[in-house]
Amino acid sequence: MPVAIAGFTPTNRKPASDYSRSAGKRGCPNESTQDIPLTLLAPQSTVGYTTSLRPTFVGFISSPQKVEFRIFEFSLDNTVTQIGDAIIKDIQPGVFQISLPEQYPNLIVGKKYLWQLAISCSGVQKVEAAEFMIVEISSKIKTELSTISDAFKKSNIYAEEGLWYEALTEALKLANYKKLGNLGSNLIQDLAKYESPRARDKEELFKKRIKYLQTIAIQEQL
């Protein structure tokens, strides 16, 4: 495997709205105090970008949970409307992926969306959400990618272009089941560098989130 890793370079770092949030709470009966809570492995303080009309969403959880997945579309007035029904999935500990369900329509280039995961713990619902936008890829990069089949090279190209969702999805093709692999670990460490609170009252939550991301990057590498 090549040793050179380009690293994730976020572009157009548009701050996410208040719909993107981290609950920052604990208390699930089957979690220990040392467990990392439900964590989205995607930009949360800023809008993430993808060229896929059917993206794959990635998260991490420390204990088996029933997870509720929802996706929303932003309107021009910055309100959100849910697309399709909620999807309930049983998730095992570790890194997990959720593809856009077949019954959902293709997403639309130029639109901004919100994906949300929720779990119920001790009667309290914990919610994690992140915003992303569907963008067009340049013809130059599209042509370059069409000649490459190697997931490592593809991930590097996507990462350099700031296309988080494709970069991580390609990286996970090289990883063991429920793990990040070397390239995925590198991407999560990059993500941790760029996460920052949007407001002073969010500082402690994001400090925790950054710590969780750094820990996940290390412990889920192999």
Side-chain angles (χ1 to χ4, degrees):
M1 178 183 292
V3 294
I5 298 178
F8 173 59
T9 306
T11 57
N12 188 18
R13 297 189 67 210
K14 183 178 179 180
S17 71
D18 286 337
Y19 286 109
S20 285
R21 56 179 172 170
S22 176
K25 297 177 181 177
R26 292 179 175 270
C28 289
N30 52 349
E31 286 183 347
S32 76
T33 56
Q34 300 303 312
D35 282 340
I36 296 172
L38 175 64
T39 301
L40 304 190
L41 301 185
Q44 201 169 37
S45 61
T46 58
V47 177
Y49 293 92
T50 177
T51 64
S52 175
L53 304 184
R54 306 193 70 80
T56 296
F57 307 97
V58 185
F60 174 86
I61 202 162
S62 293
S63 58
Q65 299 289 346
K66 196 174 291 291
V67 174
E68 185 178 86
F69 171 87
R70 297 176 188 268
I71 193 164
F72 303 82
E73 179 183 324
F74 278 87
S75 301
L76 292 176
D77 61 359
N78 213 38
T79 57
V80 295
T81 302
Q82 183 171 322
I83 299 174
D85 297 323
I87 303 296
I88 308 297
K89 296 182 73 71
D90 289 314
I91 302 295
Q92 296 304 307
V95 176
F96 63 89
Q97 302 180 60
I98 299 179
S99 298
L100 192 68
E102 290 183 3
Q103 61 266 42
Y104 281 43
N106 283 347
L107 304 185
I108 300 171
V109 173
K111 292 276 190 176
K112 186 171 72 167
Y113 298 89
L114 179 88
W115 66 285
Q116 175 185 289
L117 295 181
I119 57 176
S120 293
C121 295
S122 302
V124 177
Q125 189 177 57
K126 297 182 178 183
V127 177
E128 294 288 324
E131 294 171 31
F132 66 100
M133 182 172 284
I134 312 295
V135 296
E136 294 229 39
I137 196 167
S138 71
S139 57
K140 177 182 177 182
I141 298 300
K142 187 175 182 179
T143 300
E144 182 179 0
L145 287 166
S146 69
T147 65
I148 298 172
S149 58
D150 182 74
F152 186 95
K153 292 180 180 179
K154 280 188 172 183
S155 180
N156 270 345
I157 292 171
Y158 284 126
E160 285 186 307
E161 292 297 308
L163 297 169
W164 173 261
Y165 290 86
E166 284 92 338
L168 185 56
T169 298
E170 290 294 331
L172 292 180
K173 292 178 182 178
L174 305 170
N176 291 325
Y177 179 63
K178 307 296 288 184
K179 296 293 184 179
L180 289 170
N182 291 330
L183 185 53
S185 173
N186 184 78
L187 288 172
I188 298 304
Q189 290 181 63
D190 284 346
L191 175 61
K193 295 176 186 176
Y194 292 107
E195 286 290 74
S196 59
R198 300 181 297 279
R200 187 175 296 276
D201 62 347
K202 303 291 185 182
E203 285 183 2
E204 287 305 313
L205 288 179
F206 271 90
K207 284 180 181 178
K208 288 181 179 180
R209 170 166 165 77
I210 290 167
K211 182 180 177 180
Y212 297 150
L213 290 171
Q214 292 170 336
T215 302
I216 292 167
I218 294 171
Q219 73 179 27
E220 302 302 317
Q221 181 173 2
L222 302 174

